[in-house]
Amino acid sequence: MTPEQYVQQKAAASGSSFYYAFLFLPRERRAAITAFYAFCREVDDVVDEVTDPGVADTKLSWWSSEIAKTFAGAPTHPVTQALAPHLQPFGLRQEQLQAVIEGCRMDLTQTRYLDFAGLARYCHLVAGVVGEVAARIFGQTEDATTQYAHKLGLAFQLTNIIRDVGEDAMRGRIYLPISELQQFDVKAHEITQRQYSERFAALMRFQAQRAHQLYDEALALLPAADRRAQRPGLMMASIYRTLLREIEADGFQVLHQRTSLTPLRKLWLAWRVQALGRM
């Protein structure tokens, strides 16, 4: 299996909304974003699949070293071998990839966040930076597009947090800020024991409202000159926001299930943005 085949398989197997947006890109950009996404999946899987925190930390340290080697011209892993040819053409920086690893490492030591400011720091590393890199690969020409991409990445991450509340709780993590749990009088044990209440629903409506606001703010920041190039991001926004609305319509039944869209629906949402240029 070639490095290119490896990253393609990694991206396709995830079933992620991102994969459907990549399908409409020109070949070189598609190869670059697929390799970068496969890297993100690799380091994220370390945290989700390795049960021993010490082993997971060692694996993340290996990835940190591998990224340094890659930028020095000596990649050894199929993912970094696939990514290496695209670093210079798309202006990718080592500190960006190291930031993603740092964000994943936070999951090994921090399972709760006191307030939204603390959560936002985590989201910056695991989603905002990812958005910035993706925007460069998609064809960013305006500096203002970085701010759009970062804010859109934050909206995606908050949507993920809403969708995965129950699943994350089973892993011992609650990303909803403690201050906001207290604000709505929702106890941590109610989440881990999958206890629904009107208080929990109100908390989740608050989370969803903030995510929607971030989507609106991000879209308002996208310069007109970059709108066409950034269509893959708009495709992802359409898919993720549709998912968020599905969760809302279902009454935030996220403690015992993981809401998802069918592959066909994701493809249709992506195609609609490609064909019509709007969400």
Side-chain angles (χ1 to χ4, degrees):
M1 182 184 295
T2 67
E4 290 72 25
Q5 290 170 331
Y6 180 93
V7 297
Q8 176 67 26
Q9 186 178 83
K10 187 77 176 179
S14 73
S16 169
S17 303
F18 289 72
Y19 175 71
Y20 294 89
F22 302 164
L23 297 175
F24 298 90
L25 283 167
R27 182 176 179 179
E28 185 178 0
R29 296 187 190 279
R30 186 170 68 248
I33 195 64
T34 299
F36 175 65
Y37 177 72
F39 158 73
C40 294
R41 286 258 42 95
E42 289 281 356
V43 295
D44 189 60
D45 286 349
V46 169
V47 175
D48 287 343
E49 297 176 2
V50 179
T51 55
D52 185 321
V55 174
D57 185 69
T58 298
K59 285 180 174 288
L60 289 179
S61 294
W62 182 91
W63 273 106
S64 182
S65 175
E66 175 67 10
I67 290 302
K69 291 178 183 176
T70 300
F71 276 84
T76 63
H77 192 280
V79 164
T80 47
Q81 289 171 345
L83 183 60
H86 306 292
L87 299 178
Q88 186 173 358
F90 293 109
L92 307 189
R93 305 192 311 274
Q94 181 178 170
E95 57 263 33
Q96 292 172 316
L97 275 66
Q98 297 287 6
V100 176
I101 298 172
E102 180 186 346
C104 289
R105 183 174 271 115
M106 287 179 68
D107 277 329
L108 301 180
T109 58
Q110 188 166 355
T111 59
R112 303 290 300 277
Y113 292 88
L114 180 61
D115 51 27
F116 182 69
L119 178 64
R121 165 63 179 163
Y122 168 76
C123 292
H124 161 73
L125 295 172
V126 300
V129 173
V130 172
E132 294 172 14
V133 172
R136 294 285 304 209
I137 294 173
F138 294 155
Q140 173 181 351
T141 62
E142 300 286 333
D143 289 342
T145 299
T146 297
Q147 190 177 1
Y148 142 82
H150 191 279
K151 188 154 288 194
L152 190 61
L154 178 56
F156 291 162
Q157 188 63 22
L158 294 185
T159 302
N160 283 339
I161 288 171
I162 291 168
R163 178 195 62 192
D164 297 338
V165 169
E167 189 175 290
D168 288 333
M170 292 304 101
R171 292 192 174 112
R173 304 181 199 135
I174 298 178
Y175 292 102
L176 304 175
I178 294 172
S179 62
E180 294 171 8
L181 290 174
Q182 293 172 339
Q183 178 183 341
F184 290 91
D185 193 27
V186 174
K187 306 296 190 293
H189 72 81
E190 294 176 311
I191 294 176
T192 58
Q193 294 174 13
R194 301 177 177 177
Q195 296 176 8
Y196 292 99
S197 65
E198 178 51 40
R199 292 174 287 106
F200 175 76
L203 169 65
M204 298 310 292
R205 285 194 294 269
F206 178 80
Q207 305 300 320
Q209 182 181 17
R210 177 162 54 205
H212 280 303
Q213 182 178 342
L214 285 165
Y215 281 114
D216 290 339
E217 291 175 358
L219 295 174
L221 288 168
L222 178 58
D226 272 356
R227 188 171 181 85
R228 184 176 182 84
Q230 297 301 318
R231 277 188 183 178
L234 298 178
M235 293 176 192
M236 291 184 280
S238 179
I239 293 170
Y240 264 76
R241 206 166 190 182
T242 297
L243 172 64
L244 179 58
R245 288 172 176 143
E246 288 282 319
I247 294 170
E248 290 177 291
D250 198 32
F252 298 101
Q253 299 294 300
V254 293
L255 295 179
H256 70 289
Q257 65 182 14
R258 190 177 195 266
T259 303
S260 62
L261 305 180
T262 65
L264 184 60
R265 191 172 183 192
K266 291 178 183 178
L267 185 60
W268 181 80
L269 289 167
W271 175 86
R272 186 175 67 174
V273 173
Q274 176 68 14
L276 304 180
R278 58 180 174 82
M279 293 170 56

